[in-house]
Amino acid sequence: MSSAAPYTPHLPRIAVALGDPAGIGPEIALKAALDPSVRAICQPVLFGDRGVLEMHARACGLAPRLQSVASAAGADTIDSDTTALVERPQFKPGELQLGELAAAHGLAALDSARAAIEAALRHEVDAVVAAPMTETAIKMAGIEFDGYPSFVARCTNTPIEDAFLMICFDREGRELRIVHATLHVSLRRAIELVTRERVLHSIAAAHAALKRIGVAAPRIAVSGLNPHASEGGLFGDDERLIIEPAIADAQAQKIDADGPFGADTIFHKPGYDACVVMTHDQGHVAAKSLAIDRTAGLTIGTPILFSSVAHGSAYDIAGQNKASPRAVVEAIRRLAGASALPHR
């Protein structure tokens, strides 16, 4: 038995769901939970299959001390050199095949994430970070899924239209945060979804999230839908008919929002705490070009703090000790540092 002292009780407790067990999720979740910089700012609690976690640990040459706990609340009782695990039995020994697509892998990823979300709803953890899932594996399981924000909304009984994705990363000493009015839908469908009400919802969700994570007086830049934000009507009227009225509605609610700006220049605008963009690629192209391995995705508009990473499950390097936990560490750091974490 270790003589190390228990975790400091006042540190926030962060659930870390293992993600797709056949990909790099368990590897980077474990590496992040063992990172001294992470353990200095929070109590990480892993959620997932113990056999899967031990399999990935062996592949990486790691021998972590794992202690199973019945609930995340039990993390306070373990030693500081031990990692708490809320077990979710998902596979029999030898059943998991690394690097392969399977419905069972999609089911396991969502099971771990759902258990962590439920722990947050019970106030056993202060926030949730989920390692990457694989959408194809989830769809193979016959589950409706278009990204973590809508999944978190369903798990928390939040209207789907109120949940949005905010991706966050550091760029030359500046924190960039990007909120998407639409996400994992076809471009044709995204254009249909860009309505005055939805754009206002996304601006309001961004404002509330910024306040929650400690930005006292948020300033929000809003993009257009068309090239150059339509250049005064030369390339469409969506800005005039939809986006400009939505910004005015937000301003009427005392939200400091400006725009619409061209999506190709919005991230160079100084002085803003977040940018609201209309489609997936308007935000993700910038994030994945500038910060592919350190981008965290924060689900906003729901009653819990939930973050994921912006990269995939990387089946091609699963089990090879090649995956960097940097994005998971960044996600944990942002949530642990949020000034408005609920008190347990």
Side-chain angles (χ1 to χ4, degrees):
M1 178 68 69
S2 169
S3 60
Y7 282 114
T8 306
H10 67 267
L11 289 177
R13 189 182 299 140
I14 309 293
V16 184
L18 298 189
D20 187 327
I24 62 171
E27 174 182 336
I28 60 177
L30 178 60
K31 287 178 175 178
L34 297 176
D35 189 304
S37 68
V38 166
R39 299 173 80 85
I41 60 174
C42 74
Q43 299 175 356
V45 182
L46 298 171
F47 280 68
D49 186 288
R50 188 183 187 102
V52 166
L53 192 60
E54 290 175 341
M55 179 181 182
H56 280 268
R58 288 193 299 271
C60 295
L62 298 173
R65 293 188 60 194
L66 300 174
Q67 181 168 324
S68 297
V69 291
S71 73
D76 281 344
T77 66
I78 70 173
D79 295 334
S80 59
D81 59 354
T82 302
T83 301
L85 169 67
V86 176
E87 288 196 53
R88 305 295 301 175
Q90 296 158 348
F91 296 92
K92 298 176 182 177
E95 187 177 17
L96 175 65
Q97 297 298 315
L98 291 181
E100 294 188 8
L101 270 173
H105 304 157
L107 288 171
L110 292 191
D111 175 71
S112 299
R114 183 181 292 106
I117 291 168
E118 290 172 352
L121 288 172
R122 292 192 299 268
H123 304 293
E124 295 171 1
V125 297
D126 296 300
V128 177
V129 173
M133 47 69 201
T134 306
E135 291 194 27
T136 302
I138 295 170
K139 290 181 179 178
M140 288 172 68
I143 298 173
E144 180 184 356
F145 185 86
D146 58 1
Y148 273 133
S150 60
F151 177 73
V152 177
R154 293 185 183 98
C155 290
T156 59
N157 292 319
T158 302
I160 298 296
E161 61 271 16
D162 289 346
F164 297 92
L165 177 67
M166 174 187 283
I167 51 178
C168 311
F169 59 95
D170 292 316
R171 166 77 168 151
E172 298 177 348
R174 175 190 173 199
E175 178 86 352
L176 290 181
R177 306 178 185 92
I178 306 170
V179 176
H180 302 73
T182 68
L183 198 57
H184 293 127
V185 294
S186 71
L187 185 55
R188 189 182 305 278
R189 179 58 178 151
I191 293 170
E192 294 172 349
L193 289 173
V194 175
T195 63
R196 179 173 176 172
E197 181 180 34
R198 186 171 185 85
V199 173
L200 173 60
H201 269 313
S202 62
I203 297 170
H207 176 80
L210 290 167
K211 296 277 284 187
R212 187 173 183 182
I213 63 175
V215 180
R219 295 192 68 219
I220 299 169
V222 183
S223 85
L225 175 66
N226 297 300
H228 303 259
S230 83
E231 197 77 54
L234 291 177
F235 310 126
D237 57 8
D238 303 274
E239 285 73 18
R240 178 178 61 85
L241 297 178
I242 297 171
I243 301 173
E244 289 177 12
I247 293 172
D249 292 340
Q251 292 169 344
Q253 296 180 16
K254 307 301 183 184
I255 296 174
D256 189 352
D258 295 325
F261 303 111
D264 56 346
T265 60
I266 191 171
F267 305 115
H268 297 291
K269 301 288 183 183
Y272 292 100
D273 301 294
C275 299
V276 172
V277 299
M278 298 300 111
T279 67
H280 176 282
D281 285 7
Q282 284 182 338
H284 275 66
V285 168
K288 292 188 176 182
S289 298
L290 299 173
I292 182 60
D293 65 345
R294 62 182 191 276
T295 300
L298 180 65
T299 293
I300 64 175
T302 68
I304 69 167
L305 287 171
F306 181 100
S307 187
S308 59
V309 296
H311 62 71
S313 297
Y315 278 5
D316 58 322
I317 61 170
Q320 300 177 36
N321 195 26
K322 294 181 179 179
S324 168
R326 186 172 180 181
V328 178
V329 171
E330 286 296 308
I332 293 172
R333 180 182 65 80
R334 284 182 172 86
L335 292 186
S339 62
L341 281 170
H343 296 288
R344 284 179 266 110

